[in-house]
Amino acid sequence: MKPPPFDYRRPATLGEALGLLAEAGSGGKVLAGGQSLIPLLNMRLAAPARVVDVNRVPGLDGIEAGPSGVRVGALARHAAVERSPGAAAAQPLLRQALRLVAHPVIRNRGTVVGSLVHADPAAEMPAVLALLGGSVRLASRGGEREVPAAAFFTGPMESAVRPGELAVSAFFPALPARSGTAFHEVARRHGDYAVAGVAAAVTLDEDLRIAAARVACVSVGPVPVVADVTAACGPRPAASVAWDAVAAAVRDLVEPEGDIHATADYRRHLTGVLAVRALRDAASAAHGEES
Amino acid sequence: MNETHHHVTLTVNGVVREATVPGRRLLSDCLRHDLGLTGTHVGCEHGVCGACTVLLDGEPVRSCLTFAVTVDGQEITTVEGLARDGALSPVQRAFTECHALQCGFCTPGFLCTVTAFLRDNPAPTEEEALEAVAGNLCRCTGYQNILKAVHRAAQMQATQIQAEEGGA
Ligand SMILES: Cc1cc2nc3c(=O)[nH]c(=O)nc-3n(C[C@H](O)[C@H](O)[C@H](O)COP(=O)(O)OP(=O)(O)OC[C@H]3O[C@@H](n4cnc5c(N)ncnc54)[C@H](O)[C@@H]3O)c2cc1C
Ligand code: FES
Ligand code: FES
């Protein structure tokens, strides 16, 4: 089908964009990569009065990587962040997760920030932001605010972005020394949204025992489910962790729902298995860091 | 509703083209209906099938998930623009040789995707080639011949480059 009519605007500056969004109130929608919004419009599941296309707003496509982490601008495409050597060095989980987002062709247009605002409970990037304790910077005519991940995802396809606000960037913090990350998921077909998926981050102590271990699980709740599994994993070297117990601990933490793709029990089972795979890979990546 | 129309200028296959379209006009529809370039096919209109894939400033994108106004002033290559001086491109020839198409509905999307892929990765592994076409659906071929065509096209391009360098 075709999109319903709307008032299309293509601001040339951030100020103009914020003005157009303020004026439109709850009838306004930001258009970034369009890889989620345009399908919704084509299927007539969304009918905004005004679409504010930010693709020509200068200064929003930055990818700034430094020792503290990576700040990704609203127009940085998935593909650009995936390819950025600086981003991969500062926070390897970005590239690990982006390779699982849709297909390369979708990643050429879709944006990381758009993916966060869209807040699909099956999407990878919200889980990454939640796992790392990152944040999203929101701008409106009234000023800016930085919302931490824990407060940003408010429900399935719902984020803390208010009418009149534009997400200008997101910040993905780096991890301390001797840390590693991994992302594992199971999807029906390559490139599909995950039936279940787990991002993991592990930090080792000086004796290479697990000092901190966290996971973020997708498709098993209204928002990414973040769990600290340090107690179940450490302080032991990865080789002597009771991984079955870790899997059981993760299974107990999630409350998936069943749908046409998978039953709740199968999702719970997958989440346990994927958590162990991701944690073990993250631990060996942390070892690699050390050597 | 009295819809506002926007004037857009696109460079399509090297030719400057103009159209006047409402904001909601999909690039796929602009190419097909406003510009008469029906080589770009439309299967699903939600990004899943890949039939509508075109090159935007050289990068493959879904034309059904792009508004024509958004890409005003940019360069588009469609399947009609892949042949050079009337001769099929190596990717097109490889698809013919390897029987990588039957009904042909999916073919324009595959050709654009593979053309950009081989430009960036001229000697792909099996796995890389598989990943490259995994976002395009084909109901006829069973994909095996499409994969063969990707590798055949890579070979043909390598030979062509060698010949050109040898001749120069
Ligand atoms: C076939 C297909 C498969 C896919 N598979 C996956 C997958 O496996 N995993 C995955 O994570 N995603 C997947 N996606 C979605 C893709 O990652 C999208 O690119 C992403 O979710 C949205 O980014 P976008 O820039 O395209 O946003 P848009 O589509 O432009 O916008 C999405 C929503 O966010 C809002 N928005 C966007 N940017 C801003 C901003 N800066 N400020 C305020 N609001 C904003 C829009 O108003 C809209 O409501 C898939 C998409 C397709 C078509
Ligand atoms: S028509 Fe665009 S992806 Fe199917
Ligand atoms: S050849 Fe018929 S769909 Fe691919």
Side-chain angles (χ1 to χ4, degrees):
Chain A
M1 290 203 304
K2 311 296 175 193
F6 47 76
D7 170 27
Y8 173 86
R9 300 299 184 94
R10 194 177 65 200
T13 64
L14 182 59
E16 196 188 332
L18 298 179
L20 288 166
L21 286 169
E23 210 176 78
S26 55
K29 269 276 175 204
V30 172
L31 173 71
Q35 305 301 289
S36 294
L37 181 59
I38 299 182
L40 290 176
L41 292 168
N42 284 353
M43 292 185 262
R44 302 235 168 172
L45 294 172
R50 171 178 288 174
V51 168
V52 180
D53 180 347
V54 296
N55 281 281
R56 298 295 166 95
V57 175
L60 290 183
D61 62 352
I63 303 170
E64 293 159 33
S68 62
V70 185
R71 184 164 288 281
V72 174
L75 285 179
R77 315 279 168 189
H78 293 312
V81 179
E82 183 188 348
R83 284 186 205 131
S84 159
Q91 184 41 269
L93 184 56
L94 287 171
R95 185 178 282 173
Q96 290 162 353
L98 282 165
R99 288 193 169 150
L100 301 172
V101 175
H103 306 288
V105 175
I106 307 286
R107 300 203 289 271
N108 280 341
R109 287 301 288 172
T111 64
V112 169
V113 172
S115 192
L116 299 173
V117 177
H118 190 61
D120 192 311
E124 290 82 3
M125 298 322 283
V128 169
L129 193 83
L131 180 77
L132 299 172
S135 57
V136 181
R137 187 174 294 170
L138 303 175
S140 66
R141 219 157 45 175
E144 283 193 346
R145 60 188 183 118
E146 188 91 26
V147 182
F152 187 75
F153 303 108
T154 53
M157 328 293 276
E158 274 171 35
S159 72
V161 179
R162 298 185 192 129
E165 280 184 324
L166 176 73
V168 284
S169 66
F171 182 68
F172 296 88
L175 288 167
R178 289 188 303 276
S179 297
T181 56
F183 204 126
H184 279 276
E185 71 176 38
V186 168
R188 280 275 154 162
R189 283 164 299 267
H190 179 83
D192 277 13
Y193 278 104
V195 172
V198 179
V202 168
T203 304
L204 305 177
D205 64 19
E206 286 183 353
D207 300 321
L208 302 183
R209 293 173 307 185
I210 294 178
R214 268 178 313 139
V215 291
C217 313
V218 307
S219 292
V220 288
V223 296
V225 179
V226 181
D228 192 315
V229 290
T230 309
C233 295
R236 269 173 298 244
S240 52
V241 170
W243 291 111
D244 285 350
V246 177
V250 173
R251 281 199 301 268
D252 287 348
L253 281 165
V254 297
E255 289 194 27
E257 282 178 31
D259 60 20
I260 53 162
H261 304 294
T263 62
D265 276 351
Y266 181 53
R267 279 214 162 89
R268 190 189 301 280
H269 168 77
L270 278 181
T271 304
V273 172
L274 293 168
V276 170
R277 276 187 207 162
L279 285 162
R280 297 184 79 150
D281 275 6
S284 35
H287 267 282
E289 263 271 281
E290 172 68 6
S291 58
Chain B
M1 176 172 167
N2 229 344
E3 246 183 303
T4 309
H5 280 58
H6 310 262
H7 189 77
V8 297
T9 307
L10 304 173
T11 305
V12 186
N13 303 326
V15 180
V16 177
R17 304 289 305 265
E18 294 180 44
T20 302
V21 297
R24 59 175 163 148
R25 179 79 92 242
L26 301 173
L27 177 60
S28 43
D29 289 336
C30 177
L31 291 168
R32 290 177 55 85
H33 305 313
D34 298 302
L35 304 181
L37 292 167
T38 51
T40 299
H41 290 172
V42 173
C44 67
E45 282 183 344
H46 51 267
V48 175
C49 75
C52 68
T53 307
V54 300
L55 306 183
L56 170 65
D57 291 337
E59 294 303 325
V61 300
R62 299 287 198 244
S63 62
C64 76
L65 298 188
T66 311
F67 290 128
V69 261
T70 297
V71 298
D72 182 18
Q74 291 182 258
E75 276 188 36
I76 315 286
T77 306
T78 66
V79 67
E80 289 97 337
L82 298 182
R84 286 270 166 277
D85 308 322
L88 295 182
S89 73
V91 177
Q92 288 173 309
R93 270 185 288 137
F95 268 65
T96 328
E97 266 185 31
C98 300
H99 299 287
L101 60 144
Q102 290 179 26
C103 80
F105 190 84
C106 67
T107 314
F110 274 99
L111 291 173
C112 289
T113 308
V114 172
T115 299
F117 169 65
L118 290 179
R119 180 199 59 209
D120 298 342
N121 185 352
T125 62
E126 286 288 329
E127 206 176 313
E128 288 165 346
L130 188 65
E131 156 96 16
V133 297
N136 292 62
L137 298 182
C138 174
R139 294 267 125 149
C140 304
T141 63
Y143 301 101
Q144 300 310 312
N145 287 348
I146 293 177
L147 281 171
K148 275 186 207 149
V150 176
H151 293 292
R152 180 80 189 103
Q155 268 173 5
M156 285 162 113
Q157 279 183 349
T159 326
Q160 188 169 323
I161 290 167
Q162 264 173 7
E164 278 167 13
E165 280 171 359

